[in-house]
Amino acid sequence: MKELLFIDCCIRGKDSRTRKLANAFLETLDQNKYHVTAVNPEAEGMLPLTGANFAQREKLVEEGTLDHPRFHYARQFAQADVVVFAAPLWELSFPAILKVYIENVSVKGLTFGCDADGLFGSCRGSRLIFLTTRGERYENSELEQGSRYLEAISKFFGFKDYSCIAADGMDAAGADPRIILADACGRARGLAASL
Ligand SMILES: Cc1cc2nc3c(=O)[nH]c(=O)nc-3n(C[C@H](O)[C@H](O)[C@H](O)COP(=O)(O)O)c2cc1C
């Protein structure tokens, strides 16, 4: 059984179109092949790395106390076979809570390492998948930074393969969001079925 980690950053919850896209993906996964663990960073109360929270993290990493409970999410991330992020496009990127999650799992000695040649990823996962919906269209646009950043961070953590499925133009003038979402859900089901 492979482990799939689903990181739910669909802030609008049941009203979220991105969550619907994620549901299409998750419902299609072969349950005999994948065990799914869902994490909602907001519900988990994850905090950004500031003040005492940052200081404690630095001290524990310095000491090598990597079995501390606060690194649970980093250990979980490092062990997953497939990681799926679901988040809408906000301010040309993604909601801050996803960055908070990334700050929390980015731990030297667990998800990445450092040697004479520099930094290297140490996650065992083979694939990182980003599911998103966007108000406007960003195909071939350099303005969209969310997927671009997640592709880079997936390399940083050592994932071999990155893919993004986006429903673009959900709020665009004259567009029918139901058709756009149905098309993206079809692609998400196809990707899930291929895993
Ligand atoms: C706070 C906020 C910021 C947004 N920023 C952008 C943006 O920069 N570009 C864009 O095209 N759409 C933007 N949108 C629109 C969303 O990307 C779009 O409506 C998306 O489908 C929302 O996903 P959801 O239904 O999962 O919440 C924004 C929406 C919100 C609420």
Side-chain angles (χ1 to χ4, degrees), residues 12 16-18 88-92 133-136 138 171:
R12 295 197 309 125
S16 162
R17 288 98 59 101
T18 314
L89 181 77
W90 276 18
E91 280 76 48
L92 301 180
T133 68
R134 301 167 178 153
E136 298 299 324
Y138 292 90
D171 306 326

